[in-house]
Amino acid sequence: MSYSLNIYKMILIINGDYMPIVDYSFTANQLRQLVMDTHSLIPTGEGTLNSIYFDNAATTPPFASVINEINKYTPWYKYVSKKSIKAKLISAMYEESRKSIKRFVNADMENDTVIYTKNTTEAINILSDVLTQQYPDTKPLVITTYMEHMSDYLPWKFRCSCELVNVTQDGRLSMEDLENKLKKYAGKVKLVAVAGANNVIGYVNPIHEIAELAHKHGAKIFVDAAQLIQHRRIYMNSPKLSAIQTDEYTYPANEIQKIDYLAFSAHKTYAPFFTGALIGDKTVLNQVNPFCFGAGITESVTTESVVLKESPVRYEAGSNNILGAIALATAIQTIEQTGFNIIQEYEASLLTYTINQLKQIPDVILYGDTNNTKDRIPIISFNIRNMDTEEVADYLLDNFGLIIKHGLCGSDLYVKKLIEGSTFSGVVRLSFGLYNQTYEIDRVITALSKLLL
Ligand code: PMP
């Protein structure tokens, strides 16, 4: 398949002003140029082979733009605590990057704050700790789902009281069960914590519908956007837009429900250096103590009293990951310049191309809805009939240099449901980034076809 992206011209209406925001012509080849090191040499049973990387849901390779920017500022970041022009610039970049993130996810520029964390996992741990401080008398009730990554389950499980929403036969979130649970625990649920997109089949959840339900029942919503942010435009809060049109849903302006809290990881968004972010209402976050105490977070300290700074600073004790923040801001800029329309259309083409090819191979068991894939980011999970999951993954790596994930993929409860009643130990997972190419996918298809000869 040769793929050439169309030219897009999109007009966004903000408060009556027309702003042309995208006018690019990108080809698959040009998308490929955005990232670095995708074909590292690795030893395989067939000799040394160029590897092909299909584990982008775990970590993406860095954008070249990110590495260039990091090279530019690496000699400078040590000046951060000194009174020099470089220090001022670097500090300003660190603060400015928070604004880039807020704009990127359409957060409330005034009331939301961006707290830098190590990753999504740490962000969720912070939020669960915030919640327990908000409700010190009893364990707060949190509704989360069977679809979650363990990072969006274990913090709630250990610190809060936790109810799980079921999934449907094809692995989508059961909105019916969510509504039933909210009704059953009327008024008691403090938070609904849900994945923006799932990391095994890639379903995109209707987060604004979920927000509406949560809010109706007096709960807040947290979205784990670890798998969403690199594939879809996020609207945490967007009163200026007349309506939100996504591929899956259209939300009239008066029905747009605010996403109260959101977290994501930079290393899945083409930026290395392990930064994550927790975004949410600064008033709430200012009311409680941080998860981690240390230098840099206080207005004043005596042996008798400590006055903490407001968020986000109160949540960032110790030395900050300045380069991580610069890397993330640069990755965001590159995604913006590329355009979500282009990314989404191209990735959807990779998804359908692969599913259609895999469907032709007898003995491939595909998980999830393979006919209507509009609400899926480019992640595919499968097994081979009568073969051990790990054996398939090893075969693909050892003989064809295909780097993929296998097992429970960090979503133990979900994958166990998918493979229930079978002898599989997990799934084999392919996850694409915006730079993957159809000729790379062809190597997977060839490998699997040979395996089944
Ligand atoms: N949530 C989801 C949906 C994920 O896929 C992952 C990572 N696979 C995480 C959370 C955890 O991300 P991190 O390891 O960056 O904290």
Side-chain angles (χ1 to χ4, degrees), residues 434-452:
L434 54 74
Y435 64 90
N436 279 119
Q437 306 281 310
T438 50
Y439 75 83
E440 297 177 324
I441 293 163
D442 291 342
R443 203 194 276 183
V444 180
I445 304 303
T446 306
L448 291 175
S449 304
K450 279 192 183 172
L451 177 68
L452 295 167

Side-chain angles (χ1 to χ4, degrees), residues 45 168 218 377 446:
T168 60
I377 54 165
T446 306

Side-chain angles (χ1 to χ4, degrees), residues 17-29:
D17 297 332
Y18 288 79
M19 289 176 50
I21 53 163
V22 183
D23 187 1
Y24 298 109
S25 175
F26 270 80
T27 60
N29 209 11

Side-chain angles (χ1 to χ4, degrees), residues 57-58 119-122 124 149 151 195 197 199 224 226-227 265 267-268:
N119 48 32
T120 307
T121 306
E122 191 179 64
I124 300 174
H149 189 271
S151 292
N199 72 320
D224 168 0
Q227 297 296 346
S265 298
H267 72 100
K268 296 179 195 291

Side-chain angles (χ1 to χ4, degrees), residues 121 147-154 195 199 224 268 409-411:
T121 306
M147 205 199 237
E148 303 311 302
H149 189 271
M150 288 302 96
S151 292
D152 195 31
Y153 171 57
L154 295 177
N199 72 320
D224 168 0
K268 296 179 195 291
C409 304
S411 291

